[in-house]
Amino acid sequence: MRTTALLVAAATLALTCVSCAAPTKLVEGEGTTFVIYHAADAPPSVARAAVDLQDYLYRAAKAKLAIVNDPAEPMICLGDNSSAQAAGIAVADMPLEGFRILTAGGSIYIAGPDTADGERTLHGGTSNGTANGVYSFLEQFVGVRWLDPTEHGDYVPTTADITIPDTDISDAPFFLNRRVPYTQQDRDVVMRWWGRQKLGHSLFLSHGHNWRRTIPAENFDAHPEWFAERGGKRIPPTGRYKLCVTDEGLIAEYARRAIEYFDANPNGTCYSLSPSDSAGWCDCEDCTALYEDDPNGNLSVTPAIVNFYNEVGKIVGEKHPDKILAGYVYAAYVFPPSTPIPLEPNVFLVWTPSFDYGYTLHRPELQEQWDDLLAQWTEITDNISYYDLPVNISTEAGALNPPGLNILSFMYPRLKEANIKGVYVYGISAWGRAAPLNYILARLAWDPDVDVDALLTEYCAKAYAEGGPEIEEMWRLLDAEVERHFIEFPNARYTLTTDMMTDIYVKNLPEIERLYRSAEAKVTDEDAAARLGMIGENLTVLAWNLRQFKLLPDPEATSFYMADVDFFEFLSARRGSLALAPRKESQSASKLANSVMVAPADEVPGAEAVGRYLLRGDQHVVIYPTGAGKVSVSFSQVSARGKLVSWLVVGADGAEVASGLMSTEVPIELDAEGSAHYHLIVSAGSASFKMAVDGGAWAVDGMLSDQGLHFLGALSPVYFEVPAGVDAFHIGLGAGPPGETAIATLFAPDGREVETFDCTEMPLDRKLITVGAGDAGWWKMVVTEAGTGVLDDVWIKPESELSGFICIDAARALSVRKVQ
């Protein structure tokens, strides 16, 4: 593999240099004598850019330029080749990912540093300089815009003539790593859009939460000292567990795993040090000795985390001095240490100011804090990148997400001034909610000084044609209303709340609707109408959700109203649409084929009637029809928390049977003869609900999440089967002490009390249960309130000795055995 040197300095911008040469007539009267030339061995990015250039020139001017592999003047010459060199283009002198556009001798030259297929820069990235030049050429001289990744997302003005003035342009991105994640980038069409927007990275950074992958929970029994201590006890790892970052054995093991990765992946250049998300830090004596209070009086674990980064960095650096170890500075470690700690040269920080998530940077005091921390961290190190979701309302409920222009114009120039090396700033996955935001973020990633106000105006004019003024007014109205809300509501963050629904969306829905319908009546262009329709689809979703929350005084008064049956058909027809939030199931349907053997329980000893309970989060339920006719699955007490709670039913053979949205009004109806059993997959996020099954036995998978089966609040007794032949099994009770607590009692099939569990101090009470003679059968766990705290989020965590399935309704209990 060849390696291209990384130019760490931020890109230099050098703009048009004009002499007295005549303009170049590329297309005249829809005709052309030009060809598109690139060398036969040009990198794939150059060849793809050539095809795009050919396509968009034809769409714009009806002139089809041939793509050739031998130079033939007049030509558009792409890439670093002898013709470009003869024209005076020196690619070796350009920043990575940069380009030069030159008119000379009647031809046009576009070239920049390009990595070959499989080639990486010194720091693990790629460079598509020539392609970046092609897309800039199409934007500047042909007027093309890539407004969104859909089939209607291109804006291509038509003309009979294209004349290129005498031109010598050089440009390059300021940031070396430019990503707009959470825009459905797992889809090819979105990645093509990323490329045309010149997103990319010559500096590769891997910085995701990585403790669970590097130090798996299975290490606990052999090395409890690697894991967090709480109240003098090492905590069995579950969920987003924490490590003991001062333990020398843990540091050595983490470094060993990083070295193992680099040894196995010689082309790999970066390994993540980032802790798991959330709280639960180790309170052993050595760790707490490094903790301090941040300027707001809250716990800061930054000194301990930076020390951990450095200690791992020292060990890895001895074997792989040229590799990078990246780690967040975030949440409880977002403030720099009160006494600066020099960083190892191979440690790269990713500053993640989580206090500004949502639109909280509208608050002056947080702008001041943001400015202070940026200055402090960049004083400590030049090896720093940026991660944020500063203009996001997290929801699947269709609430339009305005671009946050004031925040973006505050933030990006400061990131440039501080010489931040990369930006990883969240977009919005539902393009109909936030296409202008996604577009503006992509443009800022290339040029942090771009005028975001002008960008929004241009976007609306090109995207919505005659309806542009109304839609721009709508976005600016929402932008102003969101800013006001976040200033007036100090607890507002990045997740959609009932307050937001009421104060922003219900309040402004009539005006939003008026502007949208006015624009809709004006638009004649098919593509513009489709782009506008993406907004309308999300407003339909929003209206349905506002109705579910009973926030609309007259739900049928809005033109976006749909009855449930019609709404479910509407969503089903748009499944997979880029316009709406993607529906991702928590289980793969194909993996469920023939995965279990099931049988209804004859009798469950100690059975009680189903009492109060709420399931929370994603669920996998196995349902066995017990009679003829239909099996009905109904839901109640649904608290969606801004999510469209979707479900998917899969047959025993793994074939999809039905799908839809959870509704308290419309049950799921299954044919008892349609499958030997069914898998119900519920994608609920943080939503909670109660369910009931009529005409079938059922059980819930307690091992879908490594935290166990998640309940919310008061909990009816639950039951699980211990098959014959199991000598012992592990099971745990989880909660969130000290505020959220729980206790539980475990009963054997004969009714005797076997064990108790206490989560008043520990977040997971894990027990090894010995199975005595005659103890095979149905066991019962009763969870109750503790003497302190409140009963809220509770987990029951079976382990691999059992199937993991738990029954809530003893009268309809289902025995489930996994097929190996």
Side-chain angles (χ1 to χ4, degrees), residues 191-225:
M191 289 310 296
R192 285 197 293 272
W193 183 87
W194 274 36
R196 291 162 181 165
Q197 293 292 352
K198 304 188 288 282
L199 296 172
H201 56 277
S202 57
L203 166 65
F204 174 76
L205 293 173
S206 174
H207 48 69
H209 300 289
N210 202 33
W211 282 10
R212 292 169 59 187
R213 185 168 69 90
T214 303
I215 309 294
E218 291 75 21
N219 285 289
F220 180 79
D221 289 336
H223 293 285
E225 72 279 6

Side-chain angles (χ1 to χ4, degrees), residues 619-673:
Q619 304 296 342
H620 169 212
V621 184
V622 176
I623 300 170
Y624 176 85
T626 54
K630 297 289 184 182
V631 178
S632 179
V633 183
S634 58
F635 301 99
S636 60
Q637 302 179 50
V638 177
S639 178
R641 294 175 173 83
K643 180 177 175 61
L644 289 176
V645 182
S646 62
W647 54 263
L648 171 69
V649 175
V650 175
D653 60 357
E656 182 175 328
V657 174
S659 63
L661 284 186
M662 183 177 290
S663 168
T664 59
E665 300 175 11
V666 181
I668 302 172
E669 300 285 349
L670 302 174
D671 183 359
E673 304 298 326

Side-chain angles (χ1 to χ4, degrees), residues 551-813:
L551 297 177
L552 294 177
D554 184 4
E556 297 186 33
T558 173
S559 59
F560 296 108
Y561 169 83
M562 280 189 183
D564 280 358
V565 172
D566 296 332
F567 180 70
F568 296 156
E569 290 180 359
F570 161 87
L571 280 184
S572 179
R574 288 159 180 79
R575 190 173 181 184
S577 167
L578 282 166
L580 302 176
R583 290 165 56 186
K584 293 188 175 180
E585 315 302 345
S586 55
Q587 282 267 47
S588 168
S590 60
K591 292 181 180 179
L592 294 175
N594 304 311
S595 61
V596 295
M597 297 185 297
V598 301
D602 293 330
E603 183 180 357
V604 175
E608 299 181 34
V610 179
R612 295 173 56 194
Y613 81 90
L614 290 173
L615 290 166
R616 187 169 190 184
D618 295 347
Q619 304 296 342
H620 169 212
V621 184
V622 176
I623 300 170
Y624 176 85
T626 54
K630 297 289 184 182
V631 178
S632 179
V633 183
S634 58
F635 301 99
S636 60
Q637 302 179 50
V638 177
S639 178
R641 294 175 173 83
K643 180 177 175 61
L644 289 176
V645 182
S646 62
W647 54 263
L648 171 69
V649 175
V650 175
D653 60 357
E656 182 175 328
V657 174
S659 63
L661 284 186
M662 183 177 290
S663 168
T664 59
E665 300 175 11
V666 181
I668 302 172
E669 300 285 349
L670 302 174
D671 183 359
E673 304 298 326
S675 179
H677 60 265
Y678 293 96
H679 299 270
L680 170 62
I681 303 166
V682 179
S683 298
S686 61
S688 56
F689 60 93
K690 185 175 183 178
M691 63 176 288
V693 176
D694 185 34
W698 59 289
V700 189
D701 189 350
M703 297 174 71
L704 180 63
S705 161
D706 65 1
Q707 285 187 274
L709 184 57
H710 192 175
F711 293 93
L712 182 67
L715 177 56
S716 184
V718 298
Y719 311 86
F720 60 91
E721 185 184 27
V722 176
V726 174
D727 297 324
F729 62 90
H730 287 90
I731 192 165
L733 178 73
E740 298 179 4
T741 60
I743 59 175
T745 305
L746 181 65
F747 297 92
D750 62 4
R752 76 182 188 281
E753 180 179 318
V754 175
E755 187 60 88
T756 59
F757 301 78
D758 187 338
C759 286
T760 55
E761 295 181 358
M762 297 177 61
L764 176 65
D765 191 3
R766 175 181 182 248
K767 300 288 178 66
L768 176 63
I769 308 299
T770 300
V771 180
D775 282 347
W778 287 92
W779 290 55
K780 174 180 174 181
M781 179 177 278
V782 179
V783 179
T784 58
E785 294 181 354
T788 62
V790 296
L791 184 62
D792 196 45
D793 286 290
V794 178
W795 290 264
I796 296 175
K797 180 179 169 60
E799 296 190 19
S800 58
E801 301 94 344
L802 304 176
S803 74
F805 281 85
I806 293 173
C807 297
I808 301 167
D809 185 351
R812 295 172 176 82

Side-chain angles (χ1 to χ4, degrees), residues 73-85:
E73 297 182 345
M75 61 181 171
I76 303 178
C77 175
L78 302 183
D80 185 14
N81 51 52
S82 58
S83 296
Q85 294 161 13

Side-chain angles (χ1 to χ4, degrees), residues 296-310:
N296 298 324
N298 300 315
L299 172 69
S300 173
V301 301
T302 308
I305 295 301
V306 172
N307 179 73
F308 168 74
Y309 289 175
N310 274 339

